[in-house]
Amino acid sequence: MNTPADQARDRLARNAHRKDAARRLGLAAATVSGLLLGLLLIMLLDYGLGLPTWVRAAAGVALLAALGAGWRRWQTARRRRTSLKEAALDLESARPGLGCEVSTASEYLSGGRTPGNAHESELAAALSLRAARVASEEEQAGTVDYRRSLGLPGLLFGGGVLTGLLVFLVVAPQSGTAVRRALAPWSGAHFTGLAVEPAGGEFPVGHRLTLTNRLSGRIPRSVEFQWREDGQTGWRTEMVDVASNLPVAFHALTVSASGTFRIRAGDHLSAEFPLVAYIPPEVSALSVRLVPPAYSGLPELRQSSPALTALRGTRALVELEGNVALGRAELALTNGTVVALVPAASNLWRGELTLFADSSYSIVIADSRGRPGLANSVRHPIRALPDLPPKVDVTEPGEDIRADPDELIPLKVAASDDFGLESITLVYHVLGGPEYRLEVRDRHTKDGQTLGAVVLRLESLGVKPYDVVAYHAEARDNNTLDGPGIGRSPTYFIELTDRSGPPPTQRKSQGPPQQRLNLIAIQKGLLADTTGLATNAAPKATADLAGRQREARALTARYQERLESMNAPKGAQFALDEALEGMDDAAKALDQRSPKAAIPAEEKALAALYRAIKAMPQLKNLPTNPDLALQPPDPSAEPPPPQIVLEAIEKKPKTPAESAEEKKALEEALQEALALAQAQSELTDRMDGKDSKGDQGDQGDKGDKGDKGDKGGRGQDGKKGRDGQGDSPGEPGRQGQGRGQPGRNPGQGSGPGQPGQPGGQPPGPGAPADPSMAGRQRQLQERARRLAERIDRLAKPKTGESPEAKAAGQRVAGAADQMAQAAEALGSGRSDAAGSSGSLAAAGVQSAADLLERALRPGTERTDVSAEEAPAQFEEQIAEYFRRLTRAQ
């Protein structure tokens, strides 16, 4: 049963426990707050003054002592219990009206006082009841608040200190560093961060070393470089300024001795870095023995220079010595090859290198500790001189010749080589036939050249008239390393043609320029150049040959057209067809960079040209102007010179026949110019959208090939006269004698409308161009180009230059350029621009026709009009065209 005494005792005991807890809480809060305050003070002092490590360590020890004292006090408070009387006295102090009732009752309850009699027992019981009731009232009213009186002061103090600490941590930069420095004085935390590069190492004496001090955190204005040489005790200091724009301090020094250095930056003192100075390895002596290939017969050479220049295949025996003991030596080539040198006695290193190609190398050395030399990156050149192939030529006859099928041809050969010849061989064959070789055994040496002689027996080849024998000389040297080197002479030709005709065509330096403008010379030059082309020739070389072959093909096609138009012998026409086929095959092979495949095709073309001459001897050697070769012979005229050319070889008074012939040629050129002007005018009307009946006539039947039988009426020689009248020699004025439909006038078309224009409606201005007009314009351009060349030749007769004809040729050439622009504009759909260029072209051709008419009319005032409108440089362009064909340059 719970008596009043038990109730009073229990309530007083609970009050005593609350007091003990509040006392311990206040003591703990005060202790922690004191420690935090001490830590904050240390951090503030260190942050502002940069306390040394020992000061921060002492402060840390003091804080630890304070922590221990506080812990002991708390443990003492924890063991000390509050008595019931102390709790009763706290109640009585909070309620003074109680007097001593509760404290007296606590004495009876705690056993400190014992009732002596019944009356005292009753008094004690009454006091216990009174104490229980007062304690219960106090518990409910909370009159005595131990937490406020004992714990709150410590908590408030701790809160203030913690607030100050948080403010410091948030506001102060590098506050975390301050905390680490205060809590762990030996942690190495610094307000100034420092990184030193390089951090010591081994460096050669004389090396210029730059120390890079990278700073972070609190950046000082300067850093201190401290140096101590080996064997010394003191530090030598030097201040180094920090860069204004970067947190970096650079310090340069020349390595002269070994030692130790360190850097102080703010509160940061770096570690000590060792710097080891060593003597760098160098090549103190170098010897190179050059041993040439045995076949060259050259003597050995010795040199001390690392630059190597010798004949390809030479062995270079390298020997070097270092200034210190070497641990490695090698030769490093640019292609990645490494030649290791092997050690010999007395710090000598030896190795061997063979020179095969131009290159460079470096001498890489390192001392016994693997430290590299300063000159390891220096490159030394290697030049491997090639063994050039021999030079050889056929000195006699040294040109193309004509011979009989049973003739013996004596030949003389001269050859030379830098290291001696092995053999000289004559290589010959009939065009299209197998190749034969004849060694030149009759040889002797004179003035550094090997001279030889050999006899070529044509009868052994089974040649027949109009065959062609091609030959050249080959020389081989003694190169046993990467040879033999083979030299070739130019290719020469032996023609088995009629001796009464023109002499063999000369090529390159074999004759003056006026004797080279013919198809035989052009094709010979192409064959000789292709034969002498190297297998690894540049693409431009084969492309140039392909272009020259196509130009020769164009000239051959002109001959073919003329032969067809004049019903020439079929044998000549078939031969030219075969020549065209061979030229096409040769050009394709050269486009594919295959000279070997082009040679048979070129030989086929050249042989076919000779067969054409055989079938039609009046072709002579096929001059580049077909008109000169194919004009009918005049019995009263002086026999032509043996070589038909584009320029007169000599000037002499005209005979009556020559004057009539030139007048006739000018008349034909005039008629062609008038027809060309009419055709261009009609085509221009179509470009401009005008309805021109005359244009329909231009759509007549085409001839078989090229321009022969041009659209509308043309003469048998391919020239078109006025109003469709033929202009064939001997048949002036005949209607419609072209290769088209006979009797058709220019105004008569082949259908109700124009190609590309259904219903015969012409296109309007700015309409898309008809593709057929572009093709027609290109045909007219080609006619204009040929007419310009023809007039240019007529302007330079034997007795003097015709200024009117010269100016006419220039104007037709300018008109051809305008036609080219018109064709390009039609191809891109710009009919307006095409019409403008076409109008200018038509006007130019008409102007040329007027000039030709002035040249033909006697009594008309003749003035020098060569400078009018057409620029004089067209003449030079035409000459350059023929020079390029025959490689005169």
Side-chain angles (χ1 to χ4, degrees):
M1 182 176 179
N2 201 6
T3 63
D6 294 335
Q7 294 177 4
R9 186 182 298 106
D10 182 59
R11 286 185 172 86
L12 287 176
R14 284 203 296 270
N15 285 343
H17 290 318
R18 287 199 299 273
K19 184 175 183 178
D20 290 339
R23 182 185 296 115
R24 290 194 297 270
L25 176 62
L27 182 60
T31 302
V32 172
S33 299
L35 292 174
L36 290 178
L37 179 60
L39 180 63
L40 179 60
L41 292 176
I42 295 172
M43 289 190 296
L44 290 174
L45 291 174
D46 186 34
Y47 190 83
L49 303 177
L51 298 178
T53 302
W54 68 269
V55 174
R56 287 182 280 115
V61 172
L63 289 178
L64 290 176
L67 177 62
W71 174 256
R72 285 195 301 272
R73 290 184 60 191
W74 188 85
Q75 288 293 336
T76 301
R78 180 172 175 272
R79 289 191 297 269
R80 178 177 174 272
R81 303 284 183 172
T82 300
S83 63
L84 295 181
K85 184 176 181 179
E86 185 177 350
L89 291 175
D90 292 336
L91 287 176
E92 291 174 349
S93 63
R95 297 175 62 180
L98 293 177
C100 297
E101 295 177 357
V102 178
S103 60
T104 302
S106 65
E107 291 179 0
Y108 286 107
L109 292 174
S110 62
R113 179 183 293 183
T114 302
N117 49 45
H119 176 72
E120 189 174 355
S121 296
E122 292 178 358
L123 177 62
L127 291 174
S128 297
L129 182 60
R130 174 65 174 169
R133 187 168 56 252
V134 170
S136 177
E137 293 176 356
E138 185 280 331
E139 187 175 357
Q140 294 178 2
T143 304
V144 180
D145 190 353
Y146 291 112
R147 290 186 179 180
R148 177 178 298 177
S149 59
L150 298 179
L152 184 58
L155 293 175
L156 291 176
F157 176 63
V161 173
L162 184 62
T163 300
L165 181 60
L166 291 176
V167 170
F168 172 75
L169 294 176
V170 173
V171 174
Q174 296 182 289
S175 57
T177 303
V179 173
R180 290 195 302 272
R181 286 167 59 86
L183 295 178
W186 293 278
S187 65
H190 302 281
F191 291 111
T192 299
L194 174 62
V196 181
E197 300 174 0
E202 296 180 340
F203 301 95
V205 173
H207 177 68
R208 187 68 174 173
L209 178 63
T210 299
L211 298 178
T212 302
N213 305 297
R214 304 186 183 278
L215 306 173
S216 60
R218 188 178 298 176
I219 309 300
R221 294 184 178 180
S222 61
V223 299
E224 185 180 74
F225 171 75
Q226 300 180 3
W227 167 258
R228 183 178 62 193
E229 192 171 328
D230 288 351
Q232 297 181 357
T233 57
W235 292 91
R236 180 173 58 87
T237 62
E238 182 179 351
M239 300 304 298
V240 181
D241 293 334
V242 178
S244 58
N245 56 344
L246 292 174
V248 179
F250 299 101
H251 180 59
L253 67 150
T254 301
V255 177
S256 58
S258 299
T260 305
F261 71 92
R262 63 186 182 184
I263 305 296
R264 178 182 294 278
D267 66 326
H268 195 158
L269 180 61
S270 71
E272 296 182 0
F273 303 111
L275 190 152
V276 178
Y278 67 92
I279 298 176
E282 296 178 352
V283 177
S284 59
L286 175 67
S287 175
V288 181
R289 185 161 61 99
L290 300 175
V291 183
Y295 78 88
S296 67
L298 296 176
E300 295 184 5
L301 297 177
R302 284 185 178 272
Q303 65 180 50
S304 58
S305 171
L308 304 179
T309 300
L311 180 65
R312 185 169 54 200
T314 297
R315 297 164 52 219
L317 307 179
V318 181
E319 181 181 275
L320 62 85
E321 181 180 2
N323 61 334
V324 296
L326 299 180
R328 177 172 61 99
E330 59 189 23
L331 307 179
L333 279 70
T334 52
N335 60 4
T337 303
V338 176
V339 178
L341 305 184
V342 296
S346 302
N347 202 26
L348 291 177
W349 292 72
R350 296 190 178 99
E352 180 178 330
L353 174 67
T354 303
L355 280 58
F356 286 109
D358 290 351
S359 181
S360 63
Y361 74 102
S362 58
I363 302 175
V364 180
I365 58 176
D367 62 13
S368 57
R369 297 186 58 180
R371 294 176 294 205
L374 298 180
N376 283 359
S377 60
V378 177
R379 311 298 300 182
H380 308 289
I382 296 177
R383 186 182 178 193
L385 303 177
D387 183 358
L388 299 177
K391 296 180 181 179
V392 61
D393 197 5
V394 179
T395 57
E396 291 185 14
E399 61 182 4
D400 297 344
I401 62 173
R402 177 175 295 138
D404 294 327
D406 57 351
E407 193 169 343
L408 300 179
I409 309 298
L411 304 175
K412 291 186 178 181
V413 181
S416 62
D417 187 70
D418 41 9
F419 301 113
L421 291 169
E422 178 185 2
S423 65
I424 302 176
T425 306
L426 183 71
V427 183
Y428 59 98
H429 70 286
V430 180
L431 294 186
E435 190 177 83
Y436 300 94
R437 306 179 72 87
L438 179 61
E439 186 175 355
V440 180
R441 300 184 181 277
D442 183 10
R443 298 187 299 180
H444 65 279
T445 303
K446 180 180 180 181
D447 298 333
Q449 281 192 326
T450 299
L451 306 179
V454 69
V455 175
L456 177 60
R457 301 177 181 272
L458 296 179
E459 187 177 8
S460 64
L461 295 174
V463 294
K464 53 186 178 298
Y466 286 94
D467 277 347
V468 179
V469 176
Y471 69 93
H472 67 273
E474 285 186 0
R476 293 173 177 258
D477 62 14
N478 294 317
N479 185 352
T480 58
L481 179 67
D482 54 1
I486 301 176
R488 297 173 55 98
S489 73
T491 300
Y492 297 96
F493 299 91
I494 302 175
E495 304 175 3
L496 286 84
T497 54
D498 187 3
R499 291 184 183 272
S500 63
T505 300
Q506 306 302 310
R507 297 168 291 111
K508 297 184 179 178
S509 60
Q510 298 179 18
Q514 64 265 26
Q515 293 184 353
R516 288 183 244 133
L517 301 182
N518 58 79
L519 284 177
I520 295 295
I522 293 172
Q523 194 61 29
K524 280 183 180 179
L526 282 167
L527 179 57
D529 292 344
T530 306
T531 305
L533 199 64
T535 55
N536 58 346
K540 185 178 184 302
T542 54
D544 289 345
L545 286 175
R548 290 170 53 198
Q549 184 64 83
R550 288 191 173 89
E551 291 170 350
R553 197 257 184 221
L555 292 175
T556 308
R558 290 173 56 191
Y559 264 99
Q560 177 70 309
E561 293 172 6
R562 293 299 308 277
L563 291 180
E564 289 183 1
S565 67
M566 63 185 296
N567 294 323
K570 294 299 183 181
Q573 296 187 44
F574 292 156
L576 290 184
D577 282 337
E578 189 175 354
L580 291 172
E581 181 181 349
M583 292 176 182
D584 288 336
D585 293 341
K588 292 178 182 178
L590 290 171
D591 285 336
Q592 298 173 0
R593 299 181 61 187
S594 179
K596 289 186 178 180
I599 291 175
E602 291 177 348
E603 289 185 352
K604 173 184 176 181
L606 182 58
L609 292 178
Y610 276 101
R611 287 197 299 274
I613 297 174
K614 178 180 180 181
M616 195 173 179
Q618 61 265 40
L619 293 176
K620 300 179 177 64
N621 47 21
L622 298 171
T624 53
N625 180 12
D627 295 335
L628 296 179
L630 299 176
Q631 59 187 359
D634 189 346
S636 62
E638 180 181 331
Q643 179 66 37
I644 304 297
V645 296
L646 298 178
E647 297 182 24
I649 298 179
E650 59 182 353
K651 294 183 179 179
K652 50 190 173 182
K654 294 183 182 178
T655 64
E658 288 175 337
S659 179
E661 181 181 342
E662 290 180 2
K663 183 175 181 181
K664 179 181 177 182
L666 282 175
E667 181 65 34
E668 292 174 354
L670 172 60
Q671 296 300 324
E672 174 68 11
L674 291 172
L676 182 60
Q678 177 67 20
Q680 181 62 42
S681 179
E682 293 170 354
L683 183 59
T684 302
D685 289 342
R686 288 185 60 195
M687 298 177 193
D688 294 338
K690 299 175 182 178
D691 190 5
S692 174
K693 293 182 180 180
D695 183 55
Q696 298 179 12
D698 284 335
Q699 304 296 331
D701 293 346
K702 297 181 180 179
D704 297 331
K705 195 179 286 189
D707 282 318
K708 62 181 185 289
D710 210 349
K711 301 172 185 177
R714 299 189 77 173
Q716 289 182 353
D717 63 344
K719 296 182 287 293
K720 184 176 179 180
R722 290 183 177 176
D723 299 331
Q725 295 179 352
D727 196 22
S728 176
E731 297 180 293
R734 292 182 59 184
Q735 292 270 348
Q737 296 300 315
R739 297 297 292 267
Q741 297 180 9
R744 182 178 293 243
N745 290 327
Q748 296 173 346
S750 60
Q754 304 300 322
Q757 300 292 331
Q761 295 297 326
D770 187 350
S772 65
M773 290 195 293
R776 175 60 176 159
Q777 183 64 83
R778 292 188 184 94
Q779 292 177 0
L780 295 180
Q781 174 198 350
E782 180 61 22
R783 287 177 58 187
R785 184 187 64 79
R786 293 199 302 269
L787 180 59
E789 296 174 358
R790 180 179 175 187
I791 295 174
D792 186 69
R793 291 191 294 271
L794 294 174
K796 301 174 181 178
K798 299 178 181 179
T799 57
E801 185 176 83
S802 173
E804 290 86 356
K806 177 180 178 181
Q810 293 173 346
R811 295 187 184 182
V812 175
D817 292 341
Q818 293 291 340
M819 292 178 186
Q821 297 178 15
E824 181 180 358
L826 288 171
S828 58
R830 298 181 287 110
S831 59
D832 292 341
S836 300
S837 298
S839 298
L840 293 175
V845 177
Q846 184 61 49
S847 176
D850 295 340
L851 289 171
L852 290 174
E853 192 167 6
R854 289 171 57 186
L856 284 168
R857 300 295 178 262
T860 305
E861 181 182 358
R862 300 167 67 93
T863 58
D864 185 3
V865 293
S866 60
E868 292 184 13
E869 294 185 9
Q873 61 265 30
F874 282 108
E875 182 181 20
E876 177 60 26
Q877 291 176 356
I878 297 172
E880 174 65 22
Y881 170 74
F882 287 116
R883 282 199 300 271
R884 186 161 58 87
L885 280 180
T886 58
R887 297 194 57 178
Q889 67 272 27

